Amino acid sequence: ARIRINGSTTARMRALRKLTGLVPGPHTRTLRAHTTTQELVGAAAALRLPSELTGAERAEHVAAVLELLSLEDLADCFVGTLTPSELTRASVAVELVCDPALLLVEDPTPSLDPASALDVARALWLHAQLGATVCVAVSAAGSALLPLADDLLLIGADGAAAYCGPAGP
């Protein structure tokens, strides 16, 4: 017997996992406290980037993602010592370093200061500009991410779509 999800075998689902990334909300993060930020992002790169990349290429990619999210000064800090804002940026870095074609992000900006929110918004926007699909769930209308959205789905209190269409005017 084969297990199927939406008509696809689990083997197909494993292949899709390599193409997707998920940045969970702060209440569900499980980052390793006794690793440094660079080790954390580097481990994700080692596990999920193509094996054809050299160690130097992988390290360069990790450094670029850390810089994009203003984490380069925290590369040698243990994850357990990071602030909530820094943890959010580290969670985004773990997924962005893997260059997923589909990135799902759960409400990344509530715990962020304005500068960090802008870093995360810019990083997600750049990832989308490189051809990825980035879906972000936000709960606040004032999110720094809304001005960068192409499309918008507003869900009403009853769970039904209140609006679905272009985000701009």
Side-chain angles (χ1 to χ4, degrees), residues 11-63:
R12 172 93 170 111
M13 299 307 289
R14 279 192 293 275
L16 288 176
R17 177 153 167 39
K18 293 184 179 212
L19 300 174
T20 60
L22 172 66
V23 179
H27 57 282
T28 56
R29 286 201 190 109
T30 56
L31 301 179
R32 298 188 179 273
H34 299 294
T35 46
T36 66
T37 306
Q38 184 162 351
E39 290 169 340
L40 180 74
V41 177
L47 290 170
R48 293 177 53 201
L49 284 177
S51 58
E52 299 83 44
L53 289 178
T54 66
E57 289 170 326
R58 220 179 274 111
E60 186 178 314
H61 190 57
V62 167

Side-chain angles (χ1 to χ4, degrees), residues 41-154:
V41 177
L47 290 170
R48 293 177 53 201
L49 284 177
S51 58
E52 299 83 44
L53 289 178
T54 66
E57 289 170 326
R58 220 179 274 111
E60 186 178 314
H61 190 57
V62 167
V65 170
L66 290 174
E67 182 179 347
L68 179 64
L69 289 158
S70 299
L71 290 168
E72 67 272 23
D73 291 341
L74 302 169
D76 295 324
C77 292
F78 287 107
V79 171
T81 65
L82 300 180
T83 67
S85 175
E86 294 162 348
L87 281 171
T88 295
R89 289 182 286 139
S91 293
V92 173
V94 164
E95 294 303 326
L96 282 182
V97 78
C98 302
D99 195 26
L102 171 62
L103 180 60
L104 306 171
V105 185
E106 183 184 349
D107 216 355
T109 56
S111 66
L112 300 179
D113 58 85
S116 294
L118 190 57
D119 284 341
V120 168
R122 184 184 69 224
L124 296 176
W125 181 82
L126 285 171
H127 191 61
Q129 294 307 300
L130 293 172
T133 299
V134 179
C135 299
V136 182
V138 295
S139 58
S143 172
L145 298 168
L146 289 179
L148 301 175
D150 293 325
D151 295 302
L152 189 61
L153 169 62
L154 295 176

